[in-house]
Amino acid sequence: MEKSKVCLCLDGKTIAEDLKMVNQYRNYIDLVELRADCLNDEEMQSIRRFPELVGGLPCILTIRRKSDGGQFVDGEAARTVIFASSLAYSEKNSGHPFAYIDMESDYFISTLNDAAFAFGTKIIRSYHNFSEPVTDLKALMKNLRKTGFEIPKVAFMPNSLEDVTRLYKQSNAITDFDHIVLAMGPIGQPSRILATKFNSFLTYTCSEQPGTNLSELGQIDPVTLRNLYHFDEIDGETSIYGVAGYPLKVTGSPALHNAGFKKHGINSVYVPVRSKNAAELIDFAETLNIKALSVTVPLKNEVVNHLEYKDKVVEKIRASNTIVRTGLAWTGYNTDVHGFKKSLLEFLGTKSLFGKKVSIIGAGGAAKAIAYVVKELHGKACVFNRTVEKARLLAEEFGFKYSSLGFESMKLISKYSDIIIQTTSVGLGVEENTISTEKNDPLYFYPFSGKEKVYDVIYEPVKTPILLRAEKSGCKVCNGEDMLRYQGYEQFEIYTGEKY
């Protein structure tokens, strides 16, 4: 299995901007793609010199049409002229020609092909589909290789994780020629991080600068790819782990686990896997031979139906945040309980919740683990949720009270306000220091007295709007960062047998 190359896509408006990006990431990339369709008109005459300017890095020339996700709108005749002038050399070995030229499947100009072959420029023959997945990859690639010398590239937007699973199966079956495959968007991100496993010739990356159009397609920056996911070390023997959920906009688990693998010299990688469906997640994991998964919203409850074995906590609360493949079966654990218990007791500076009245905000998988801990520590609690029926089901399981979540519940929250524990995703990923609103603060209606101790399971931002508001009122507050670490350490030991 050959390791995939790392390609940096350059989408600057000027050659100078692109060269600045190249120099920023030079130590993290193998080649660059000049997206000439993004350049200002006056920059077009400088394209030909670009391979010389980048100082030795192989270059791909791409002039992507608007219909294929690019920005070029001047028509095929104008595009052909730019391609031709960028490839034109008087002698075969003069200058620094582009190493590759990317041309779409329906764009076949024989004179450009001849020019490319004459100067040793390889052709990437590309196909893009932003609306539906590819179902027969081998047939499509056979059609793309019109002369048998092109490197076929297929990129599509998956509708579900099932589409990414199919891509993996079909790409691995193609071994007789170099090819490039990628599933775009957040769901397709494993195909980029695990490009070597997907048998792809290269993987595309982009600048980490905010506002780049390429990041919307699921590309990540080269530093993250190599430093966080240790892309260079992924090979045929690398074991795969991951965190699964949806939308999974924020997760600190890859950083924690990949650092642990590196520290202990374990040839493994931990990646984000986005799915709303537990059945397709299990199929993806088994197809890629994933060893274990951390499970988050909204799959903690549903995934239990796919477990052959369960620890005592999962048996009790029917929610698992950790699943491990043992032979042909899956075993489920719940390390949220361990992580929350340890971090909560440290926050409170106590060993018990005896005599304490606790408000649990939310009734999902995380709330179940927290209710389990509150009961185990002898606290009394009331579960508050916008859907009262969900609150009732969780509360009755542990002998707690329950209520709706709104203005009508203020008195009851006040009664159970020794400790307020926020378990929902409301406030996740908002900007730091964001003012509290109905949309980002599940208790926006509740006036803190300053005596409450407020715990939010969210860790990014460091202080959610509810924590900022509580702290301003004089409350002692805590986020979920320690919970993440402690439950992650527990997971790591389950995965590897090693103390983190």
Side-chain angles (χ1 to χ4, degrees):
M1 178 181 287
E2 291 189 13
K3 293 185 179 180
S4 298
K5 302 178 187 299
V6 177
C7 178
L8 175 64
C9 298
L10 304 170
D11 62 346
K13 294 184 182 301
T14 67
I15 295 293
E17 286 180 31
D18 288 333
L19 291 174
K20 184 177 180 181
M21 278 189 271
V22 172
N23 291 329
Q24 179 181 356
Y25 295 108
R26 184 177 295 275
N27 294 333
Y28 300 90
I29 58 179
D30 300 306
L31 68 165
V32 297
E33 178 188 39
L34 177 63
R35 285 289 302 273
D37 53 295
C38 299
L39 291 170
N40 294 331
D41 291 343
E42 59 269 21
E43 297 287 315
M44 293 298 177
Q45 60 187 356
S46 302
I47 292 175
R48 183 181 175 189
R49 292 189 56 237
F50 188 78
E52 180 181 356
L53 296 174
V54 298
L57 280 172
C59 300
I60 303 171
L61 174 60
T62 299
I63 310 173
R64 187 73 68 223
R65 299 175 300 203
K66 191 106 176 161
S67 59
D68 289 299
Q71 298 185 32
F72 194 81
V73 294
D74 288 345
E76 295 295 68
R79 195 160 71 118
T80 301
V81 169
I82 298 172
F83 270 132
S85 62
S86 301
L87 291 174
Y89 289 89
S90 57
E91 297 180 14
K92 182 177 179 180
N93 296 318
S94 65
H96 297 265
F98 283 90
Y100 305 89
I101 182 171
D102 185 311
M103 296 188 287
E104 297 82 6
S105 57
D106 61 347
Y107 180 77
F108 194 89
I109 308 296
S110 59
T111 53
L112 289 182
N113 287 7
D114 293 342
F117 292 141
F119 294 108
T121 298
K122 295 181 180 179
I123 295 174
I124 297 173
R125 190 69 67 180
S126 60
Y127 170 86
H128 298 83
N129 195 318
F130 294 89
S131 59
E132 58 185 14
V134 169
T135 55
D136 192 339
L137 183 68
K138 188 171 185 179
L140 177 56
M141 286 198 165
K142 184 178 180 181
N143 183 59
L144 289 173
R145 297 181 80 233
K146 297 182 186 300
T147 64
F149 295 102
E150 293 95 339
I151 299 174
K153 170 191 171 185
V154 173
F156 66 85
M157 188 68 71
N159 294 324
S160 67
L161 189 61
E162 182 181 4
D163 299 326
V164 186
T165 305
R166 185 189 307 110
L167 177 67
Y168 175 83
K169 291 178 182 177
Q170 295 186 357
S171 182
N172 271 272
I174 301 172
T175 58
D176 50 339
F177 54 84
D178 287 334
H179 62 278
I180 302 166
V181 294
L182 61 101
M184 296 181 282
I187 293 175
Q189 200 167 68
S191 71
R192 298 181 183 275
I193 299 170
L194 302 174
T196 295
K197 296 282 190 179
F198 275 71
N199 196 24
S200 181
F201 175 66
L202 60 79
T203 190
Y204 292 93
T205 62
C206 68
S207 168
E208 61 186 334
Q209 298 300 321
T212 176
N213 295 326
L214 298 171
S215 62
E216 296 174 3
L217 298 178
Q219 291 187 21
I220 55 180
D221 68 274
V223 177
T224 298
L225 188 67
R226 285 193 147 145
N227 288 356
L228 174 57
Y229 296 107
H230 306 141
F231 183 84
D232 289 345
E233 298 168 32
I234 298 174
D235 57 28
E237 303 301 316
T238 303
S239 296
I240 308 173
Y241 297 79
V243 54
Y246 196 87
L248 209 61
K249 289 183 177 180
V250 177
T251 174
S253 295
L256 185 149
H257 287 283
N258 285 322
F261 293 144
K262 185 75 170 178
K263 175 183 176 183
H264 289 272
I266 299 171
N267 185 10
S268 297
V269 63
Y270 184 104
V271 302
V273 181
R274 293 170 176 86
S275 176
K276 301 178 183 178
N277 182 284
E280 71 173 18
L281 171 65
I282 294 297
D283 182 46
F284 177 81
E286 292 178 352
T287 300
L288 272 70
N289 193 26
I290 292 177
K291 303 297 184 183
L293 289 164
S294 309
V295 182
T296 186
V297 177
L299 300 176
K300 291 184 181 183
N301 300 131
E302 185 188 350
V303 77
V304 175
N305 299 326
H306 300 269
L307 303 176
E308 186 73 21
Y309 310 103
K310 312 170 189 69
D311 72 2
K312 66 177 184 179
V313 179
V314 176
E315 287 280 10
K316 171 65 178 175
I317 69 176
R318 302 293 298 175
S320 175
N321 79 316
T322 308
I323 63 172
V324 178
R325 196 175 182 193
T326 49
L328 298 177
W330 290 88
T331 300
Y333 304 86
N334 195 303
T335 66
D336 279 340
V337 165
H338 169 80
F340 173 69
K341 183 177 179 179
K342 186 173 175 63
S343 63
L344 178 68
L345 293 180
E346 286 182 357
F347 168 55
L348 299 175
T350 184
K351 295 182 179 180
S352 170
L353 296 183
F354 182 78
K356 301 294 184 183
K357 290 187 175 181
V358 182
S359 285
I360 299 174
I361 311 301
K368 281 191 173 185
I370 284 163
Y372 182 94
V373 171
V374 172
K375 183 73 173 181
E376 188 179 54
L377 294 175
H378 309 292
K380 293 183 178 181
C382 184
V383 180
F384 297 88
N385 196 62
R386 290 179 180 176
T387 305
V388 181
E389 180 61 14
K390 288 185 178 180
R392 182 187 69 80
L393 291 173
L394 176 57
E396 289 181 351
E397 188 174 344
F398 294 95
F400 294 156
K401 292 186 177 296
Y402 65 92
S403 173
S404 59
L405 182 63
F407 286 99
E408 70 283 356
S409 58
M410 279 199 297
K411 287 186 178 180
L412 195 54
I413 293 173
S414 181
K415 184 177 179 180
Y416 283 82
S417 62
D418 292 332
I419 308 163
I420 296 176
I421 304 169
Q422 200 293 107
T423 75
T424 75
S425 60
V426 178
L428 177 66
V430 304
E431 296 287 336
E432 295 284 351
N433 300 314
T434 299
I435 296 173
S436 168
T437 67
E438 184 176 352
K439 291 184 177 180
N440 62 35
D441 180 350
L443 285 183
Y444 70 96
F445 56 85
Y446 178 78
F448 291 106
S449 68
K451 297 179 181 179
E452 302 91 345
K453 292 182 174 62
V454 184
Y455 187 110
D456 193 336
V457 298
I458 293 172
Y459 53 87
E460 190 171 326
V462 174
K463 290 180 182 176
T464 53
I466 187 176
L467 288 189
L468 286 171
R469 192 166 58 84
E471 187 175 55
K472 189 175 181 180
S473 298
C475 301
K476 184 178 180 181
V477 302
C478 180
N479 71 9
E481 185 175 0
D482 286 340
M483 176 182 174
L484 172 75
R485 286 194 300 110
Y486 292 143
Q487 67 84 25
Y489 296 161
E490 184 84 355
Q491 283 179 333
F492 189 85
E493 188 170 353
I494 292 170
Y495 294 164
T496 67
E498 301 277 355
K499 293 279 188 183
Y500 190 89

